[in-house]
Each structure stands twice: as C-alpha cells, then as structure tokens.
Amino acid sequence: MLIRIPKSWHLPERAVTDEKLFRDRRNLLKGVAAGTLLAGTPAGIAMAAAGPTDPSGKYYPAPLNPAFTDGGRPVTPEGLASTYNNFYEFGSHKKISKVAQEKLKVRPWEVVIDGLVEKELRLPIDELLAKMPIEERIYRHRCVEAWSMVVPWSGFPLKELVKLANPQMSAKYIQMQTFNDPKMGPGLKQFWYPWPYTEGLTMAEAMNDLSFMVTGVYGKPAAAQFGAPLRLAVPWKYGFKGVKSIVRISFVNKRPKTFWENIQASEYGFWANVNPEVDHPRWSQASERTLRGERIPTLMFNGYGEQVADLYKEMQGEKLYM
Ligand SMILES: Nc1nc2c(c(=O)[nH]1)N[C@H]1C(S)=C(S)[C@@H](COP(=O)(O)O)O[C@H]1N2
Ligand SMILES: [Mo]
C-alpha cells in the first residue's frame, strides 16, 4: 500500500493518534538498528550519551512527528553520524567525538534569552525542556562542504521558544551563540577564529515550522559531539547555520554577523540556503556525498522548498544561496 506522508501544513501539529505514533516509532527504531548493524560500527561512542548527571533521559525516545519523516529516505547509521562531526570548539577536523564527550559538561547548563524581550530569562536547560513539547523529526542535513546525512533529531519547534521569550515588535532577528570556555572546548584556544560561534535567523525564518531546537538524537539525549544540550536544525540551509551547544539567544534588530561570515564573507553568507545551481567559489554544490558513501543530486532548499521558498520571494539583491 502506498502511504502518502502529509506535508506539515496539511496536518495540525500533534493531530495524530497515539497508535500511528507508536507504529512510526517502531519502524524507525527498526531502521536505525538495521543501519547501525550494516555499517558495522561500534555504537559505543554515541551510546555514552550525555553522562550520568543528565536527567533528561525520560523525554526519549520522543514521539515521531509524522509530518517530518523525510519521505522514507534511509536514516544515516548512528555510528557514522556520531563519528564524523564539525565542531570547531573541539578542533578543526571531523574526529572530535571523543574529545567532545570527555570535555563538554552539559550540566549545569544555563540558556540566557535576552535582547529585545520583555524580560531577560536565564533558564537552566532542564527547566526549558520541561516547558517545551519534545518530539522527534527526521531531517536531511547538507553541509556546505557537500556531504550529507539523514538524522532523527528530537527537540522542540523554535517558535515555541520565541513564544516563551515574548520578543518586542522591534526584534527583527534572532541570534544564537555557543559556549566560549576553553576548558570545555580546547579548540577555543585557536585564537584566530572569531569566537564565540554565532549564528542567526530572521524572525520569519525562526517562526517557520521547520526551524527546530535539537535536544536529543537517535532516541536519546544528544551526544556531546552533536551540540548537546541545545542545538539548532534548519534543514533547508547549509549545515553551518545549525549552531551547537547554545548558551545565549538574543533578539536583535540588526542582522547578526555570523562566525563563518566573519571568517570569509565571500564564501559563507548569512542566508546560506541550499541551492545546487549556485556553486561555492571553490567547489560545485550540484551533488553531495552521503555519509553512507553514495553520490546523490543536491535539491533546491535541500528538498524543503514547499515549506520555505515563500520566505525569500520578495528578496532582491541578497546573496540567498551562499
Ligand atoms: N558551535 C558550533 N556549531 C556548529 C559547528 C561548529 O564548528 N561549532 N559546525 C557547523 C557545521 S559546518 C555543520 S555541518 C554542523 C555539523 O553537525 P554534526 O556534527 O552534528 O553533523 O554543525 C554546525 N554547527
Ligand atoms: Mo558544515
């Protein structure tokens, strides 16, 4: 039988029966388990998760939101996704998972919400989690370096956090920053980088259904290397927009200058929407290599155009695709 996955706007959030969620969950777990076995990688590294002092285990596995199942694309085996990471706070190469798990302390963890808000908030991560509807979503992830993966994130819609923050009308952008403590992230000693890692979205982008705050991955609290305990996923944009291990969220009226824009504005812009027709100055963006090793064509907006293309309709003269 052909099962059509309804698009998000056809389906009010969480308007699904428990039975459907249960079945999706079981199928996903089967897929993840099979993938891990096929890849023959030790799941041990990722299994170490966030350590004994992390009390958030009770939220996982979270119910899969059936509006975000990525049309049956194979989920990347956990052993691959959790051992090939970009997280410059731990070094400017891909093999940072071990040092991230050793050094990153995710409790206590405070998230500051400030800027153009009624009242500045300082929320311990577990208080924030308790206020948010935790669900699972399977998203594609396309790095600007032309590799990609499909990941079951857990977390909550960014717009729920925006509602909690209650920003003023004058807020035009939301800026997010990573921790900046070299005791936790030895890579922060590389003084030539413009720390802290900073990213940003327009308010319209932040309110889009797809914008997601990640707290878990693969059905458990996020392992350190994925950006525990709080990370952004905006799957229609290049991966560097997905800022990890967030400590500060600020509502501002000026476009934030991002980490990668500061390093090389001619190669990495603020918008960074995935587009196979606009090449990076140094390589083609027409196709991508999955972490499973296949070469596949890259899709406009990474395949999420129906949800997000309208956001950019009226924008002329902006470098939307780099
Ligand atoms: N703080 C921080 N966030 C970051 C990065 C980083 O170096 N530091 N790298 C980005 C890039 S380039 C990518 S592709 C993704 C990688 O996420 P993953 O390791 O979970 O695959 O994280 C993004 N977020
Ligand atoms: Mo990336």
Side-chain angles (χ1 to χ4, degrees):
M1 190 176 81
L2 184 81
I3 299 174
R4 304 199 87 211
I5 310 276
K7 293 283 188 226
S8 50
W9 60 88
H10 291 148
L11 190 80
E13 266 171 79
R14 290 179 291 284
V16 284
T17 66
D18 289 344
E19 199 210 337
K20 173 95 167 66
L21 288 176
F22 179 66
R23 271 188 282 119
D24 285 331
R25 174 103 282 278
R26 278 182 40 134
N27 289 337
L28 172 69
L29 284 176
K30 270 189 252 157
V32 170
T36 309
L37 287 178
L38 279 176
T41 43
I45 291 182
M47 291 302 175
T53 52
D54 177 347
S56 70
K58 61 182 179 222
Y59 296 110
Y60 314 100
L64 175 65
N65 183 334
F68 303 100
T69 58
D70 223 274
R73 273 214 186 186
V75 167
T76 302
E78 180 179 2
L80 293 177
S82 62
T83 55
Y84 186 89
N85 302 95
N86 271 333
F87 202 165
Y88 277 39
E89 284 80 348
F90 297 98
S92 38
H93 55 89
K94 299 290 185 287
K95 295 285 155 205
I96 55 79
S97 59
K98 201 161 159 278
V99 55
Q101 293 198 358
E102 282 164 11
K103 298 275 183 188
L104 184 67
K105 300 279 172 285
V106 295
R107 295 294 186 288
W109 191 277
E110 194 178 63
V111 181
V112 178
I113 301 176
D114 66 1
L116 302 168
V117 287
E118 224 155 67
K119 186 169 157 279
E120 181 180 311
L121 293 174
R122 290 179 168 266
L123 286 173
I125 185 70
D126 294 302
E127 264 180 47
L128 177 61
L129 279 167
K131 289 180 201 292
M132 293 291 133
I134 308 292
E135 63 180 37
E136 184 169 70
R137 298 182 176 192
I138 301 174
Y139 275 174
R140 286 198 281 273
H141 173 102
R142 170 54 159 87
C143 175
V144 71
E145 299 164 332
W147 57 268
S148 71
M149 59 183 182
V150 180
V151 184
W153 304 118
S154 304
F156 54 87
L158 174 53
K159 66 176 171 209
E160 296 294 332
L161 185 143
V162 173
K163 278 188 222 158
L164 177 75
N166 198 13
Q168 297 163 14
M169 289 296 288
S170 53
K172 298 276 183 292
Y173 299 89
I174 183 167
Q175 171 187 290
M176 303 189 194
Q177 290 180 319
T178 301
F179 73 90
N180 191 10
D181 174 0
K183 286 199 288 297
M184 283 207 297
L188 290 162
K189 292 182 196 137
Q190 304 170 95
F191 59 85
W192 52 93
Y193 286 121
W195 312 112
Y197 198 99
T198 300
E199 262 305 337
L201 299 171
T202 64
M203 288 306 294
E205 289 176 329
M207 296 304 284
N208 188 275
D209 260 355
L210 275 176
S211 296
F212 198 57
M213 297 302 280
V214 169
T215 59
V217 198
Y218 291 99
K220 48 188 184 271
Q225 64 270 30
F226 285 114
L230 187 66
R231 175 253 178 92
L232 175 68
V234 279
W236 72 99
K237 292 178 177 285
Y238 290 118
F240 65 83
K241 296 294 292 183
V243 45
K244 293 177 167 183
S245 301
I246 296 164
V247 294
R248 186 165 178 206
I249 298 172
S250 310
F251 292 85
V252 294
N253 58 16
K254 266 180 48 198
R255 185 185 296 181
K257 190 93 180 261
T258 68
F259 179 81
W260 282 104
E261 216 183 346
N262 271 314
I263 291 171
Q264 191 54 274
S266 62
E267 301 193 353
Y268 311 102
F270 172 80
W271 298 102
N273 296 317
V274 174
N275 185 337
E277 286 158 24
V278 179
D279 287 341
H280 184 275
R282 291 182 283 133
W283 58 82
S284 164
Q285 296 291 29
S287 70
E288 63 205 54
R289 179 185 60 83
T290 72
L291 291 189
R292 303 161 71 99
E294 309 118 333
R295 170 74 43 193
I296 58 172
T298 289
L299 304 174
M300 185 64 195
F301 292 115
N302 202 21
Y304 297 98
E306 279 181 89
Q307 286 97 325
V308 297
D310 279 354
L311 287 170
Y312 309 103
K313 273 223 171 101
E314 310 291 312
M315 292 188 193
Q316 261 90 49
E318 292 277 352
K319 291 183 173 172
L320 290 170
Y321 308 105
M322 53 152 277

